[in-house]
Amino acid sequence: VPGFIYCLLGTTKQTTVGPTAVNSLMSFNYAGGTPYKAVTLAFFSGLIEIIAGIFNLGFLIQYISGPVISAFSSAVSIQVITSQVKGFLGIYFPGRGFIKVWVGIFKNI
């Protein structure tokens, strides 16, 4: 949805077009595919954000340097590519994780 809104409205501070795919992947992994766990995770994440907003903790972002944010975005892109490459190539083998996936891909190509 944010990508669609971004296409229509252009640059706005309300749309997030950054490394949100990793949030989806992590939520899926932690929730284990069950809706009630996903709702609980979303509730507590929202609660933490509300508490941080009430206590004005946004200033802490200033202490995260540009290279750290850049490295995080690069790592997220590698993680997303790794999670999608098996399905993209149509290869099936057991195992998850960065090393297992890439070793399995090179063995099955």
Side-chain angles (χ1 to χ4, degrees), residues 9-61:
L9 302 177
T11 305
T12 62
K13 66 178 184 171
Q14 287 80 14
T15 59
T16 304
V17 189
T20 56
V22 77
N23 293 335
S24 301
L25 289 172
M26 290 174 65
S27 297
F28 177 76
N29 287 336
Y30 290 133
T34 56
Y36 71 90
K37 288 182 181 177
V39 169
T40 304
L41 180 63
F43 173 76
F44 282 115
S45 297
L47 189 65
I48 289 170
E49 286 187 26
I50 289 172
I51 291 170
I54 290 172
F55 290 114
N56 292 324
L57 297 177
F59 71 94
L60 294 173
I61 296 298

Side-chain angles (χ1 to χ4, degrees), residues 67-104:
V68 170
I69 294 172
S70 177
F72 176 75
S73 297
S74 298
V76 165
S77 66
I78 292 169
Q79 175 63 30
V80 169
I81 289 168
T82 300
S83 69
Q84 300 295 318
V85 73
K86 279 182 9 179
F88 180 73
L89 296 175
I91 300 172
Y92 178 76
F93 54 87
R96 291 178 15 176
F98 182 81
I99 295 174
K100 289 181 182 179
V101 168
W102 287 106
V103 167

